[in-house]
Amino acid sequence: MMTTTINEEKLHQLLGHVVVDFGATMFAPLALIGDKLGLYKALAATDPQTPAELAAHTGTTERYVHEWLNANAASGYVTYDPESGRYSLSPEQTLVFAAEGSPVFMIGAFESALAASRIEPTLTEAFLTGRGVGWHEHDHQLFHGIERFFRSGYTANLIQSWIPALEGVEAKLRAGAHVADIGCGHGASTILMAQAYPNSSFIGFDYHQESIAAARKRALDAGVADRVRFEVASAKDYPGSYDLVTVFDALHDLGDPIGAAAHARATLKPGGTWLIVEPYAEDRVEANLHPIGRAYYSGSTLMCTPNSLNQEVGLALGAQAGEARLRAVLREGGFSRVRRATQTPFNLVLEARP
Ligand SMILES: C[S@@+](CC[C@H](N)C(=O)[O-])C[C@H]1O[C@@H](n2cnc3c(N)ncnc32)[C@H](O)[C@@H]1O
C-alpha cells in the first residue's frame, strides 16, 4: 500500500489560506449591502457610531447592522473601538469603501466578482461541451460592477499618465482629434477622455446593446453628450477613421484579436495611434502566480476566455497573455511599431502604430 507523509506545517498553512478565502467569499455580499444601504457612506460622514446610531442614520435594523459591522471589523474594513463600543472608518477605509470616484474605490470589485460567480452552472456545463459563454450571458450586475471597478483605475491613470506616455497624442487631443474606444462597455474610459479633451470627439463601440444603452445615459449624466457618441458595433466592423483608437481591458476578450488589430489599423488616419490597455501580465505562467495574477486568471476563466471562445476564431488569449503574445497578435494585425508606453501593477499600456 502506498503511504503518504503529511507535512503538518504545510497543511496548516494551506488551511489558514483557505479560511481567509472562505471568509472573503462569505464577506463579498456584505460589501454590497453596505454600499446599497449607504452604511459605509454614513459611517464616513459622522463621528464614530454605535450600531444603534448607524441603524438610525440609515433607516436600517440595529441587529443586522451590528453583525455587519463586526464582519467588517474582522475584515479590517471598519475600525472598532472596544472602549466606546463605536465603529468608524479610517481615512484609508473611507477612500476604498465610501468614496465613489476615488482612484481606489473598490466596491465595484466585490460587485463584479459576485455577479460573475452567478455564471457557474452555465460555465460548468461549458467546461464539458467546450461551448463559449458570451459577455451578454452574464448577470446584468456584472456590467455595472466592471464599470465601477475599472473606472477607479482609469480615474487614477488614464489622463494623468497613460495618454501622456503616448507619442504626440496628448497634443492632438487638446487641439481636436477623432477617437474611437473599442469594447467600451459602459463608456467609463470614453467619458473620462471626453471630459479631459473638450475639443476632441469620441465614439465608443461595443457589441453589447445593453452596455451601449447604459453608456449613452452615462454621457448625458456627465454632460458630455455633445462630444461623445456610443454605437453598437464589433471590434472588427466599426465604421469611421480616427487619430486615436483605444481598447481598454477588452483585446483579450475578443474572439479574433488579430482581425480586430487589422481593422483598427485600417481605421487609423495617417500618423494615428492605437492604445491598448491590458491586464498586467508577465510572459511565463510561473511569474503570474501571485495575488494579482490569481484575480486575473480567475476572472479570465469566468468571463474573458469564455467570451472569446463564443466568437469567431475563438483565439482565447486569456487575461494573462503577457506582452510577447500581445505583441505577436498586434504584429500579425499589421502593426510594425509596438512599444510598452507605461505600466501599473494592474495594467500594461501598449502603443501600436502601423
Ligand atoms: C472587460 S469588459 C471592458 C469594458 C470597458 N472597456 C471597460 O474598461 O470598462 C470587455 C468588453 O468587451 C466587449 N466585447 C466583447 N467582445 C466584443 C467584440 N467582438 N466587439 C466589441 N466589443 C466586444 C464586451 O461587451 C465588454 O463590454
Side-chain angles (χ1 to χ4, degrees):
M1 207 174 83
M2 207 177 84
T3 56
T4 313
T5 314
I6 298 288
N7 178 321
E8 291 280 331
E9 199 186 321
K10 280 190 185 165
L11 181 63
H12 280 121
Q13 266 179 10
L14 180 61
L15 288 174
H17 192 62
V18 170
V19 169
V20 171
D21 284 6
F22 169 59
T25 311
M26 291 289 259
F27 177 82
L30 273 56
L32 270 198
I33 291 171
D35 178 59
K36 280 188 185 166
L37 298 178
L39 299 174
Y40 290 116
K41 290 193 175 80
L43 269 179
T46 55
D47 290 337
Q49 298 175 59
T50 63
E53 287 165 347
L54 180 59
H57 284 145
T58 52
T60 52
T61 310
E62 178 185 351
R63 186 64 194 92
Y64 280 116
V65 166
H66 199 165
E67 214 64 7
W68 178 89
L69 280 166
N70 286 339
N72 273 276
S75 304
Y77 295 166
V78 162
T79 305
Y80 175 58
D81 174 26
E83 296 276 296
S84 63
R86 289 173 186 276
Y87 299 80
S88 60
L89 290 187
S90 67
E92 299 76 22
Q93 290 165 336
T94 298
L95 276 182
V96 173
F97 293 100
E100 179 105 44
S102 102
V104 291
F105 183 69
M106 291 299 279
I107 292 290
F110 291 103
E111 189 171 1
S112 46
L114 266 181
S117 73
R118 298 193 189 108
I119 204 72
E120 177 274 316
T122 308
L123 194 58
T124 303
E125 225 13 72
F127 268 63
L128 294 171
T129 62
R131 91 157 175 97
V133 180
W135 183 253
H136 58 277
E137 293 181 62
H138 282 272
D139 187 296
H140 298 220
Q141 194 181 28
L142 179 65
F143 316 133
H144 189 241
I146 286 285
E147 172 195 10
R148 284 177 100 189
F149 183 28
F150 286 3
R151 189 193 287 120
S152 300
Y154 302 157
T155 301
N157 298 298
L158 174 53
I159 307 303
Q160 297 83 336
S161 56
W162 293 347
I163 297 280
L166 306 174
E167 277 181 27
V169 170
E170 191 178 30
K172 276 192 193 173
L173 289 170
R174 285 197 199 291
H178 291 298
V179 182
D181 190 11
I182 310 308
C184 65
H186 284 198
S189 51
T190 337
I191 290 170
L192 276 172
M193 291 189 287
Q195 286 169 327
Y197 307 110
N199 293 331
S200 289
S201 64
F202 300 83
I203 178 155
F205 295 109
D206 199 289
Y207 92 104
H208 185 225
Q209 185 124 29
E210 188 185 323
S211 288
I212 289 299
R216 285 177 180 151
K217 184 167 180 321
R218 297 288 187 275
L220 280 172
D221 293 347
V224 292
D226 58 327
R227 63 196 100 120
V228 188
R229 282 195 304 130
F230 289 102
E231 301 293 341
V232 175
S234 98
K236 279 171 64 176
D237 67 10
Y238 66 88
S241 70
Y242 306 94
D243 302 290
L244 174 68
V245 174
T246 59
V247 57
F248 293 92
D249 281 304
L251 184 73
H252 64 274
D253 292 292
L254 306 177
D256 183 9
I258 297 171
H263 189 66
R265 190 186 188 290
T267 62
L268 278 182
K269 290 183 185 175
T273 301
W274 191 20
L275 165 64
I276 303 109
V277 175
E278 277 286 290
Y280 188 89
E282 298 289 343
D283 294 327
R284 288 170 300 112
V285 170
E286 59 272 30
N288 295 323
L289 303 183
H290 48 67
I292 295 176
R294 178 198 193 196
Y296 280 142
Y297 277 125
S298 302
S300 183
T301 312
L302 289 169
M303 297 169 273
C304 319
T305 303
N307 183 73
S308 179
L309 290 173
N310 196 48
Q311 298 182 1
E312 73 284 8
V313 182
L315 192 66
L317 283 174
Q320 294 287 271
E323 186 173 346
R325 185 90 199 277
L326 294 171
R327 278 175 179 270
V329 163
L330 301 177
R331 228 181 4 256
E332 277 192 68
F335 287 89
S336 54
R337 290 177 295 164
V338 178
R339 183 174 73 87
R340 186 191 293 202
T342 184
Q343 67 188 64
T344 71
F346 297 99
N347 288 106
L348 268 176
V349 180
L350 302 178
E351 175 190 71
R353 282 169 299 173

